[in-house]
Amino acid sequence: MTTFHCAVLVRPGSVTERVRIETDPAGTIVNIVTGVEAALGDVCLATVVPGFATAHSHAFHRLLRGTTHADGGDFWQWRDAMYRVAGLLDPPLMFLIARAVFAEMLVSGYTAVGEFHYVHHRADGAAYPARHAMELAIGEAAREVGIRLVLLDTCYLDGGIAAPLSAQQRRFGDGSAAGWLSRWHSLRDAIEGEGVTLGAAIHSVRAVSPAAMAEIRDGLDTGTPLHIHVSEQPQENIDCIAAYGHTPVGVLAGLGMLDPRLSLVHATHLTPADRALVGAAGCSVVMCPTTEADLGDGIGDAHGLASAGARIAIGSDQNAVIDPLLELRGLEAGERLSSGRRGRFPPAALLDAGTRAGYASLGISSTVLAPGDPCDLVEIERTSLRTVGSAADQLVLTATASDVGRVIVGGRIVAEGGRLTAGATGPHVLLAEALAAVAAA
Protein backbone atom coordinates (compact mmCIF):
# COMPACT_ATOMS: atom_id res chain seq x y z
CA MET A 1 0.00 0.00 0.00
CA THR A 2 1.24 3.49 -0.92
CA THR A 3 0.05 6.55 0.97
CA PHE A 4 0.19 10.08 -0.44
CA HIS A 5 -0.03 13.19 1.73
CA CYS A 6 -1.24 16.32 -0.07
CA ALA A 7 -0.59 19.66 1.59
CA VAL A 8 -3.51 20.98 -0.47
CA LEU A 9 -5.95 18.90 -2.52
CA VAL A 10 -8.04 20.75 -5.09
CA ARG A 11 -11.05 18.89 -6.42
CA PRO A 12 -13.93 20.37 -8.43
CA GLY A 13 -15.72 22.62 -5.96
CA SER A 14 -13.46 22.02 -2.95
CA VAL A 15 -10.03 22.86 -1.57
CA THR A 16 -8.89 20.69 1.36
CA GLU A 17 -5.68 20.92 3.36
CA ARG A 18 -3.59 18.10 4.80
CA VAL A 19 -5.12 15.13 3.01
CA ARG A 20 -3.85 11.55 3.16
CA ILE A 21 -4.80 9.25 0.27
CA GLU A 22 -4.32 5.53 0.88
CA THR A 23 -4.14 3.10 -2.02
CA ASP A 24 -4.12 -0.65 -2.46
CA PRO A 25 -1.42 -2.56 -4.40
CA ALA A 26 -3.40 -2.03 -7.63
CA GLY A 27 -3.26 1.76 -7.22
CA THR A 28 -6.93 2.13 -6.30
CA ILE A 29 -7.94 4.56 -3.55
CA VAL A 30 -9.13 2.75 -0.45
CA ASN A 31 -9.32 5.64 2.03
CA ILE A 32 -9.06 9.43 2.20
CA VAL A 33 -8.44 11.23 5.50
CA THR A 34 -8.48 15.02 5.79
CA GLY A 35 -6.94 17.37 8.31
CA VAL A 36 -4.00 15.12 9.23
CA GLU A 37 -0.26 15.61 9.20
CA ALA A 38 2.09 13.57 7.09
CA ALA A 39 3.21 10.29 8.62
CA LEU A 40 6.43 8.38 8.23
CA GLY A 41 6.44 6.67 4.85
CA ASP A 42 3.94 9.02 3.19
CA VAL A 43 4.84 10.37 -0.25
CA CYS A 44 4.54 14.09 0.44
CA LEU A 45 3.07 16.28 -2.28
CA ALA A 46 2.33 20.00 -2.27
CA THR A 47 -0.73 21.28 -4.16
CA VAL A 48 -2.48 18.47 -6.01
CA VAL A 49 -5.35 18.17 -8.48
CA PRO A 50 -6.94 15.03 -9.94
CA GLY A 51 -5.32 13.58 -13.02
CA PHE A 52 -6.45 15.13 -16.30
CA ALA A 53 -7.92 13.14 -19.20
CA THR A 54 -7.62 13.88 -22.87
CA ALA A 55 -10.77 12.14 -24.01
CA HIS A 56 -9.95 12.56 -27.71
CA SER A 57 -6.50 12.09 -29.23
CA HIS A 58 -5.03 11.18 -32.60
CA ALA A 59 -1.42 10.59 -31.57
CA PHE A 60 0.06 10.52 -35.06
CA HIS A 61 -1.34 13.98 -35.86
CA ARG A 62 1.43 15.29 -33.59
CA LEU A 63 3.75 14.87 -36.59
CA LEU A 64 2.02 17.82 -38.27
CA ARG A 65 2.77 20.25 -35.45
CA GLY A 66 4.50 23.32 -36.83
CA THR A 67 4.37 22.18 -40.47
CA THR A 68 0.92 23.16 -41.79
CA HIS A 69 0.62 26.87 -40.98
CA ALA A 70 2.27 28.55 -43.98
CA ASP A 71 -0.31 27.86 -46.69
CA GLY A 72 -3.57 28.91 -45.05
CA GLY A 73 -6.56 26.88 -46.13
CA ASP A 74 -9.15 25.17 -43.99
CA PHE A 75 -9.89 21.85 -42.29
CA TRP A 76 -10.16 20.00 -45.60
CA GLN A 77 -6.76 21.21 -46.80
CA TRP A 78 -5.24 20.22 -43.47
CA ARG A 79 -6.87 16.78 -43.81
CA ASP A 80 -4.98 16.16 -47.05
CA ALA A 81 -1.70 16.71 -45.17
CA MET A 82 -2.89 14.40 -42.41
CA TYR A 83 -3.68 11.63 -44.91
CA ARG A 84 -0.15 11.88 -46.31
CA VAL A 85 1.28 11.32 -42.85
CA ALA A 86 -1.14 8.44 -42.18
CA GLY A 87 0.17 6.75 -45.30
CA LEU A 88 3.65 6.48 -43.75
CA LEU A 89 2.60 4.59 -40.65
CA ASP A 90 3.43 1.01 -39.81
CA PRO A 91 3.37 -0.72 -36.40
CA PRO A 92 6.99 0.07 -35.38
CA LEU A 93 6.56 3.71 -36.36
CA MET A 94 3.17 3.90 -34.64
CA PHE A 95 4.82 2.62 -31.46
CA LEU A 96 7.52 5.30 -31.55
CA ILE A 97 5.05 8.10 -32.23
CA ALA A 98 2.52 6.97 -29.62
CA ARG A 99 5.25 6.47 -27.02
CA ALA A 100 6.58 9.97 -27.57
CA VAL A 101 3.15 11.63 -27.56
CA PHE A 102 1.96 9.70 -24.51
CA ALA A 103 5.16 10.71 -22.71
CA GLU A 104 4.53 14.36 -23.55
CA MET A 105 0.98 13.99 -22.27
CA LEU A 106 2.16 12.51 -18.98
CA VAL A 107 4.67 15.21 -18.13
CA SER A 108 2.02 17.80 -19.07
CA GLY A 109 -0.51 16.42 -16.56
CA TYR A 110 -2.64 14.06 -18.62
CA THR A 111 -2.94 10.78 -16.74
CA ALA A 112 -5.44 9.15 -19.12
CA VAL A 113 -5.90 9.26 -22.88
CA GLY A 114 -8.68 8.17 -25.17
CA GLU A 115 -6.89 7.33 -28.43
CA PHE A 116 -9.35 7.57 -31.33
CA HIS A 117 -7.61 5.08 -33.60
CA TYR A 118 -8.55 4.20 -37.16
CA VAL A 119 -5.26 3.34 -38.96
CA HIS A 120 -5.81 -0.38 -38.69
CA HIS A 121 -4.30 -2.05 -41.73
CA ARG A 122 -1.62 -1.86 -44.39
CA ALA A 123 -1.81 0.96 -46.94
CA ASP A 124 -3.58 -1.30 -49.43
CA GLY A 125 -6.19 -2.29 -46.85
CA ALA A 126 -4.77 -5.76 -46.21
CA ALA A 127 -4.44 -6.94 -42.62
CA TYR A 128 -1.00 -7.14 -41.05
CA PRO A 129 0.34 -10.71 -40.72
CA ALA A 130 0.49 -10.22 -36.97
CA ARG A 131 -3.13 -9.61 -36.02
CA HIS A 132 -3.88 -6.27 -34.34
CA ALA A 133 -0.29 -5.12 -34.91
CA MET A 134 -1.16 -1.41 -35.00
CA GLU A 135 -3.41 -1.55 -31.96
CA LEU A 136 -0.98 -3.60 -29.90
CA ALA A 137 1.79 -1.14 -30.74
CA ILE A 138 -0.28 1.68 -29.25
CA GLY A 139 -1.07 -0.37 -26.16
CA GLU A 140 2.59 -1.23 -25.65
CA ALA A 141 3.56 2.45 -25.99
CA ALA A 142 1.11 3.41 -23.25
CA ARG A 143 2.35 0.68 -20.93
CA GLU A 144 5.98 1.63 -21.45
CA VAL A 145 5.51 5.26 -20.41
CA GLY A 146 2.81 4.59 -17.78
CA ILE A 147 -0.24 6.51 -19.03
CA ARG A 148 -3.75 5.09 -18.63
CA LEU A 149 -5.08 4.25 -22.11
CA VAL A 150 -8.57 3.68 -23.43
CA LEU A 151 -8.09 2.64 -27.05
CA LEU A 152 -11.14 3.91 -28.91
CA ASP A 153 -10.94 1.49 -31.81
CA THR A 154 -12.76 3.19 -34.67
CA CYS A 155 -15.10 1.93 -37.36
CA TYR A 156 -14.44 3.73 -40.67
CA LEU A 157 -16.24 2.20 -43.67
CA ASP A 158 -17.01 4.94 -46.21
CA GLY A 159 -15.08 7.79 -47.81
CA GLY A 160 -18.08 10.07 -47.51
CA ILE A 161 -21.83 9.55 -47.36
CA ALA A 162 -22.56 6.74 -49.85
CA ALA A 163 -19.00 7.01 -51.23
CA PRO A 164 -16.30 4.33 -51.27
CA LEU A 165 -13.07 4.70 -49.35
CA SER A 166 -10.40 6.57 -51.26
CA ALA A 167 -6.97 5.06 -51.80
CA GLN A 168 -5.70 7.09 -48.84
CA GLN A 169 -8.52 5.82 -46.62
CA ARG A 170 -8.40 2.16 -47.59
CA ARG A 171 -6.28 1.17 -44.60
CA PHE A 172 -8.91 2.54 -42.21
CA GLY A 173 -11.69 0.16 -43.25
CA ASP A 174 -12.89 -3.31 -42.21
CA GLY A 175 -15.30 -3.83 -45.10
CA SER A 176 -18.48 -3.85 -43.04
CA ALA A 177 -19.82 -3.27 -39.56
CA ALA A 178 -19.75 -7.02 -39.03
CA GLY A 179 -16.09 -7.10 -40.06
CA TRP A 180 -15.23 -4.31 -37.66
CA LEU A 181 -17.17 -5.93 -34.81
CA SER A 182 -15.39 -9.23 -35.35
CA ARG A 183 -12.00 -7.54 -35.21
CA TRP A 184 -13.05 -5.42 -32.19
CA HIS A 185 -14.13 -8.41 -30.10
CA SER A 186 -10.93 -10.26 -30.93
CA LEU A 187 -8.86 -7.18 -30.06
CA ARG A 188 -10.42 -6.86 -26.62
CA ASP A 189 -8.98 -10.17 -25.51
CA ALA A 190 -5.58 -9.32 -27.00
CA ILE A 191 -5.03 -5.80 -25.67
CA GLU A 192 -6.73 -5.30 -22.31
CA GLY A 193 -4.77 -5.32 -19.06
CA GLU A 194 -2.01 -3.33 -17.32
CA GLY A 195 -3.69 0.06 -17.62
CA VAL A 196 -5.12 -0.48 -21.12
CA THR A 197 -8.82 -0.95 -21.85
CA LEU A 198 -10.76 -1.07 -25.10
CA GLY A 199 -13.47 1.39 -26.02
CA ALA A 200 -15.19 1.91 -29.36
CA ALA A 201 -15.74 4.70 -31.83
CA ILE A 202 -17.67 5.43 -34.99
CA HIS A 203 -15.67 7.87 -37.07
CA SER A 204 -18.62 10.02 -38.21
CA VAL A 205 -21.86 9.98 -40.17
CA ARG A 206 -19.66 10.61 -43.20
CA ALA A 207 -17.78 7.36 -42.67
CA VAL A 208 -20.46 4.98 -41.30
CA SER A 209 -24.02 4.65 -42.58
CA PRO A 210 -27.04 4.63 -40.24
CA ALA A 211 -27.58 0.92 -40.93
CA ALA A 212 -23.98 0.14 -40.01
CA MET A 213 -24.22 2.32 -36.90
CA ALA A 214 -27.29 0.37 -35.79
CA GLU A 215 -25.37 -2.87 -36.26
CA ILE A 216 -22.53 -1.51 -34.13
CA ARG A 217 -24.98 -0.31 -31.49
CA ASP A 218 -26.38 -3.82 -31.18
CA GLY A 219 -23.00 -5.57 -31.33
CA LEU A 220 -21.30 -3.78 -28.42
CA ASP A 221 -21.74 -4.30 -24.70
CA THR A 222 -23.86 -1.53 -23.20
CA GLY A 223 -21.03 -0.63 -20.83
CA THR A 224 -18.52 0.05 -23.61
CA PRO A 225 -17.78 3.78 -24.05
CA LEU A 226 -18.68 4.83 -27.58
CA HIS A 227 -17.36 8.00 -29.25
CA ILE A 228 -18.15 9.70 -32.57
CA HIS A 229 -17.06 12.87 -34.40
CA VAL A 230 -20.17 15.04 -34.83
CA SER A 231 -20.73 18.30 -36.74
CA GLU A 232 -17.12 19.45 -36.70
CA GLN A 233 -17.70 21.20 -40.04
CA PRO A 234 -20.85 22.80 -41.50
CA GLN A 235 -20.42 20.71 -44.65
CA GLU A 236 -21.02 17.55 -42.62
CA ASN A 237 -24.42 18.89 -41.56
CA ILE A 238 -25.29 19.92 -45.12
CA ASP A 239 -24.38 16.52 -46.55
CA CYS A 240 -26.14 14.61 -43.75
CA ILE A 241 -29.39 16.56 -44.12
CA ALA A 242 -29.29 16.08 -47.91
CA ALA A 243 -28.80 12.31 -47.53
CA TYR A 244 -30.92 11.49 -44.48
CA GLY A 245 -33.18 14.48 -43.84
CA HIS A 246 -31.62 15.04 -40.41
CA THR A 247 -28.54 16.52 -38.81
CA PRO A 248 -25.94 14.05 -37.51
CA VAL A 249 -27.43 14.37 -34.02
CA GLY A 250 -30.87 13.77 -35.49
CA VAL A 251 -29.63 10.58 -37.15
CA LEU A 252 -28.15 9.35 -33.86
CA ALA A 253 -31.38 10.20 -32.04
CA GLY A 254 -33.42 8.27 -34.58
CA LEU A 255 -31.21 5.24 -33.99
CA GLY A 256 -31.70 5.47 -30.23
CA MET A 257 -27.97 6.03 -29.72
CA LEU A 258 -28.09 9.19 -27.63
CA ASP A 259 -27.42 8.01 -24.08
CA PRO A 260 -24.89 8.58 -21.29
CA ARG A 261 -22.35 6.11 -22.69
CA LEU A 262 -22.08 8.12 -25.95
CA SER A 263 -19.50 10.90 -26.35
CA LEU A 264 -19.88 13.40 -29.18
CA VAL A 265 -16.54 14.87 -30.27
CA HIS A 266 -16.42 18.54 -31.30
CA ALA A 267 -20.19 19.14 -31.71
CA THR A 268 -19.22 22.56 -33.01
CA HIS A 269 -22.12 23.25 -35.36
CA LEU A 270 -25.21 21.98 -33.56
CA THR A 271 -28.70 23.39 -33.89
CA PRO A 272 -30.71 24.37 -30.80
CA ALA A 273 -32.75 21.19 -31.29
CA ASP A 274 -29.53 19.15 -31.43
CA ARG A 275 -28.30 20.66 -28.18
CA ALA A 276 -31.59 19.90 -26.46
CA LEU A 277 -31.48 16.26 -27.58
CA VAL A 278 -27.87 15.78 -26.49
CA GLY A 279 -28.44 17.40 -23.11
CA ALA A 280 -31.64 15.50 -22.38
CA ALA A 281 -29.86 12.22 -23.12
CA GLY A 282 -26.96 13.03 -20.76
CA CYS A 283 -24.31 12.49 -23.43
CA SER A 284 -20.73 13.61 -23.02
CA VAL A 285 -19.40 16.23 -25.42
CA VAL A 286 -15.64 16.27 -25.91
CA MET A 287 -14.52 19.75 -26.88
CA CYS A 288 -11.02 20.21 -28.33
CA PRO A 289 -10.49 24.00 -28.15
CA THR A 290 -6.88 24.19 -29.32
CA THR A 291 -7.55 21.97 -32.34
CA GLU A 292 -10.84 23.66 -33.18
CA ALA A 293 -9.02 27.00 -33.12
CA ASP A 294 -6.01 25.72 -35.07
CA LEU A 295 -8.18 24.26 -37.85
CA GLY A 296 -10.61 27.18 -37.95
CA ASP A 297 -13.52 24.90 -37.08
CA GLY A 298 -15.43 27.47 -35.04
CA ILE A 299 -16.54 27.81 -31.41
CA GLY A 300 -19.03 25.24 -30.17
CA ASP A 301 -21.72 26.17 -27.66
CA ALA A 302 -20.20 24.40 -24.67
CA HIS A 303 -22.14 26.50 -22.17
CA GLY A 304 -25.44 25.83 -23.93
CA LEU A 305 -24.74 22.11 -24.01
CA ALA A 306 -23.78 22.02 -20.34
CA SER A 307 -26.89 24.00 -19.43
CA ALA A 308 -29.00 21.48 -21.35
CA GLY A 309 -27.52 18.59 -19.34
CA ALA A 310 -24.54 17.41 -21.38
CA ARG A 311 -21.27 16.53 -19.67
CA ILE A 312 -18.36 18.57 -21.08
CA ALA A 313 -14.92 16.99 -21.37
CA ILE A 314 -11.77 18.00 -23.25
CA GLY A 315 -9.50 16.42 -25.82
CA SER A 316 -6.10 17.28 -27.28
CA ASP A 317 -7.20 15.87 -30.68
CA GLN A 318 -4.42 16.62 -33.19
CA ASN A 319 -1.97 17.30 -30.35
CA ALA A 320 -0.75 20.57 -31.81
CA VAL A 321 -0.98 21.61 -28.15
CA ILE A 322 -0.50 19.10 -25.32
CA ASP A 323 -1.46 20.99 -22.19
CA PRO A 324 -4.69 20.27 -20.28
CA LEU A 325 -4.62 23.64 -18.56
CA LEU A 326 -4.37 25.55 -21.85
CA GLU A 327 -7.12 23.33 -23.27
CA LEU A 328 -9.41 24.28 -20.38
CA ARG A 329 -8.47 27.92 -20.66
CA GLY A 330 -9.30 27.75 -24.35
CA LEU A 331 -12.73 26.35 -23.49
CA GLU A 332 -13.49 29.32 -21.27
CA ALA A 333 -11.85 31.79 -23.67
CA GLY A 334 -14.11 30.66 -26.49
CA GLU A 335 -17.14 31.18 -24.28
CA ARG A 336 -16.00 34.66 -23.30
CA LEU A 337 -15.31 35.64 -26.89
CA SER A 338 -18.65 34.38 -28.16
CA SER A 339 -20.77 35.68 -25.26
CA GLY A 340 -19.00 38.81 -24.05
CA ARG A 341 -19.18 37.48 -20.48
CA ARG A 342 -16.52 36.19 -18.08
CA GLY A 343 -16.80 33.11 -15.93
CA ARG A 344 -19.11 31.15 -18.19
CA PHE A 345 -17.33 28.09 -16.80
CA PRO A 346 -16.14 28.89 -13.27
CA PRO A 347 -12.84 27.29 -12.22
CA ALA A 348 -14.58 24.35 -10.51
CA ALA A 349 -16.50 23.54 -13.69
CA LEU A 350 -13.32 23.72 -15.77
CA LEU A 351 -11.49 21.39 -13.41
CA ASP A 352 -14.45 19.01 -13.56
CA ALA A 353 -14.34 19.05 -17.38
CA GLY A 354 -10.64 18.25 -17.38
CA THR A 355 -10.80 15.47 -14.79
CA ARG A 356 -14.04 13.76 -13.73
CA ALA A 357 -15.92 14.33 -16.98
CA GLY A 358 -13.05 13.05 -19.10
CA TYR A 359 -12.68 9.93 -16.99
CA ALA A 360 -16.44 9.34 -17.21
CA SER A 361 -16.41 9.79 -20.98
CA LEU A 362 -13.73 7.11 -21.22
CA GLY A 363 -15.57 4.72 -18.89
CA ILE A 364 -12.81 4.81 -16.27
CA SER A 365 -14.68 6.35 -13.32
CA SER A 366 -17.76 8.50 -12.74
CA THR A 367 -16.42 10.11 -9.55
CA VAL A 368 -13.15 11.85 -8.81
CA LEU A 369 -10.63 10.84 -6.16
CA ALA A 370 -13.10 8.88 -4.08
CA PRO A 371 -12.59 5.41 -2.60
CA GLY A 372 -12.71 2.95 -5.46
CA ASP A 373 -11.30 5.43 -7.98
CA PRO A 374 -7.83 5.12 -9.48
CA CYS A 375 -5.21 7.14 -7.64
CA ASP A 376 -4.28 9.48 -10.49
CA LEU A 377 -2.84 12.78 -9.26
CA VAL A 378 -1.05 15.85 -10.62
CA GLU A 379 1.07 18.18 -8.52
CA ILE A 380 0.93 21.86 -9.54
CA GLU A 381 3.67 24.39 -8.70
CA ARG A 382 2.17 27.45 -6.99
CA THR A 383 5.25 29.67 -6.84
CA SER A 384 6.15 29.93 -10.52
CA LEU A 385 6.06 33.16 -12.51
CA ARG A 386 2.63 32.10 -13.81
CA THR A 387 1.04 30.88 -10.59
CA VAL A 388 2.48 32.89 -7.71
CA GLY A 389 -0.37 34.66 -5.94
CA SER A 390 -3.05 32.43 -7.45
CA ALA A 391 -5.80 31.04 -5.24
CA ALA A 392 -5.61 27.26 -5.19
CA ASP A 393 -9.03 26.85 -6.75
CA GLN A 394 -8.12 29.20 -9.62
CA LEU A 395 -4.86 27.56 -10.67
CA VAL A 396 -6.72 26.04 -13.61
CA LEU A 397 -6.80 29.54 -15.13
CA THR A 398 -3.18 30.52 -14.44
CA ALA A 399 -1.01 27.39 -14.52
CA THR A 400 0.27 25.64 -17.62
CA ALA A 401 1.92 22.29 -18.23
CA SER A 402 5.21 23.96 -17.32
CA ASP A 403 3.93 24.07 -13.73
CA VAL A 404 3.27 20.33 -13.50
CA GLY A 405 5.50 18.60 -10.94
CA ARG A 406 5.00 14.96 -10.04
CA VAL A 407 2.41 12.91 -11.92
CA ILE A 408 0.91 9.80 -10.34
CA VAL A 409 -0.97 7.11 -12.29
CA GLY A 410 -2.42 4.16 -10.41
CA GLY A 411 -0.58 5.08 -7.22
CA ARG A 412 2.81 5.21 -8.98
CA ILE A 413 4.91 8.29 -9.72
CA VAL A 414 5.42 8.14 -13.49
CA ALA A 415 6.72 11.64 -14.24
CA GLU A 416 8.46 14.45 -12.42
CA GLY A 417 9.79 17.81 -13.53
CA GLY A 418 9.14 17.24 -17.23
CA ARG A 419 10.69 13.77 -17.37
CA LEU A 420 9.45 10.22 -17.08
CA THR A 421 10.64 8.57 -13.89
CA ALA A 422 11.47 5.34 -15.73
CA GLY A 423 14.98 6.05 -16.95
CA ALA A 424 14.51 9.81 -16.35
CA THR A 425 13.75 10.17 -20.06
CA GLY A 426 12.60 13.49 -21.49
CA PRO A 427 9.75 13.30 -24.01
CA HIS A 428 11.79 15.48 -26.37
CA VAL A 429 14.26 12.60 -26.75
CA LEU A 430 11.45 10.20 -27.65
CA LEU A 431 9.92 12.74 -30.03
CA ALA A 432 13.26 13.23 -31.78
CA GLU A 433 13.56 9.47 -32.21
CA ALA A 434 10.05 9.25 -33.65
CA LEU A 435 10.60 12.19 -36.03
CA ALA A 436 13.87 10.70 -37.25
CA ALA A 437 12.07 7.42 -37.99
CA VAL A 438 9.37 9.32 -39.91
CA ALA A 439 12.01 11.13 -41.97
CA ALA A 440 13.58 7.80 -42.86
CA ALA A 441 10.25 6.19 -43.79
Side-chain angles (χ1 to χ4, degrees):
M1 182 178 73
T2 303
T3 302
F4 297 91
H5 186 274
C6 309
V8 178
L9 179 62
V10 184
R11 286 178 281 189
S14 71
V15 177
T16 312
E17 296 184 353
R18 296 175 295 127
V19 179
R20 178 180 290 121
I21 301 174
E22 300 172 358
T23 70
D24 66 15
T28 300
I29 296 172
V30 295
N31 193 30
I32 299 177
V33 183
T34 63
V36 296
E37 302 302 327
L40 184 66
D42 288 354
V43 177
C44 293
L45 306 170
T47 298
V48 174
V49 298
F52 294 101
T54 169
H56 186 72
S57 163
H58 301 289
F60 80 89
H61 291 187
R62 167 64 179 83
L63 299 176
L64 294 170
R65 185 189 294 179
T67 67
T68 63
H69 304 286
D71 301 323
D74 56 11
F75 166 86
W76 305 103
Q77 183 173 323
W78 172 89
R79 190 179 73 159
D80 290 339
M82 182 270 288
Y83 281 165
R84 288 193 292 273
V85 170
L88 301 174
L89 299 175
D90 61 16
L93 188 54
M94 182 69 88
F95 168 78
L96 292 176
I97 295 165
R99 183 181 63 169
V101 173
F102 293 163
E104 185 178 359
M105 288 176 177
L106 266 184
V107 302
S108 301
Y110 284 121
T111 51
V113 53
E115 181 64 18
F116 197 104
H117 166 68
Y118 51 81
V119 187
H120 302 301
H121 308 298
R122 287 177 163 175
D124 63 359
Y128 284 99
R131 198 171 192 199
H132 309 308
M134 280 290 207
E135 294 73 29
L136 294 176
I138 296 170
E140 183 57 32
R143 290 188 179 99
E144 183 164 315
V145 301
I147 200 166
R148 193 179 299 281
L149 169 67
V150 178
L151 184 68
L152 298 167
D153 192 88
T154 303
C155 184
Y156 197 131
L157 301 176
D158 303 319
I161 294 177
L165 294 172
S166 69
Q168 291 173 309
Q169 298 167 324
R170 197 172 296 135
R171 67 185 316 182
F172 307 161
D174 288 290
S176 66
W180 178 81
L181 282 164
S182 175
R183 187 179 56 76
W184 187 91
H185 283 286
S186 173
L187 174 61
R188 183 165 58 176
D189 292 335
I191 200 170
E192 289 200 330
E194 299 179 61
V196 177
T197 57
L198 185 63
I202 293 167
H203 183 271
S204 59
V205 295
R206 291 182 286 110
V208 182
S209 70
M213 284 195 280
E215 192 171 348
I216 290 167
R217 174 201 65 201
D218 295 339
L220 292 173
D221 300 336
T222 57
T224 300
L226 180 62
H227 289 222
I228 181 171
H229 291 123
V230 167
S231 297
E232 182 177 4
Q233 290 289 320
Q235 190 63 48
E236 179 181 308
N237 289 358
I238 292 167
D239 293 345
C240 189
I241 291 169
Y244 305 125
H246 298 284
T247 64
V249 167
V251 170
L252 292 168
L255 293 169
M257 293 181 67
L258 296 181
D259 60 34
R261 73 109 168 233
L262 184 70
S263 292
L264 310 181
V265 180
H266 301 303
T268 309
H269 300 283
L270 301 189
T271 67
D274 289 339
R275 289 192 291 274
L277 285 169
V278 170
C283 298
S284 292
V285 175
V286 184
M287 300 289 201
C288 307
T290 63
T291 289
E292 288 147 10
D294 182 74
L295 298 181
D297 287 343
I299 301 172
D301 187 3
H303 186 268
L305 282 160
S307 298
R311 183 169 51 202
I312 305 299
I314 57 165
S316 55
D317 195 2
Q318 62 162 324
N319 296 301
V321 176
I322 296 180
D323 186 328
L325 294 151
L326 290 183
E327 211 70 62
L328 292 168
R329 201 168 309 167
L331 182 66
E332 169 64 7
E335 283 295 323
R336 294 185 185 191
L337 289 168
S338 61
S339 70
R341 302 289 299 175
R342 302 179 81 231
R344 298 275 280 180
F345 285 99
L350 291 176
L351 186 59
D352 184 78
T355 60
R356 183 197 64 83
Y359 270 53
S361 169
L362 295 175
I364 299 170
S365 174
S366 60
T367 55
V368 59
L369 297 187
D373 288 336
C375 184
D376 295 354
L377 309 172
V378 175
E379 187 179 42
I380 303 291
E381 173 60 55
R382 291 182 65 184
T383 60
S384 76
L385 184 63
R386 291 162 296 279
T387 61
V388 65
S390 297
D393 63 346
Q394 296 188 37
L395 285 168
V396 70
L397 286 165
T398 59
T400 71
S402 297
D403 301 306
V404 169
R406 283 168 287 186
V407 179
I408 292 94
V409 177
R412 185 168 63 93
I413 299 173
V414 293
E416 182 172 4
R419 290 181 173 272
L420 303 179
T421 55
T425 306
H428 64 287
V429 175
L430 301 180
L431 284 164
E433 184 179 349
L435 290 168
V438 171

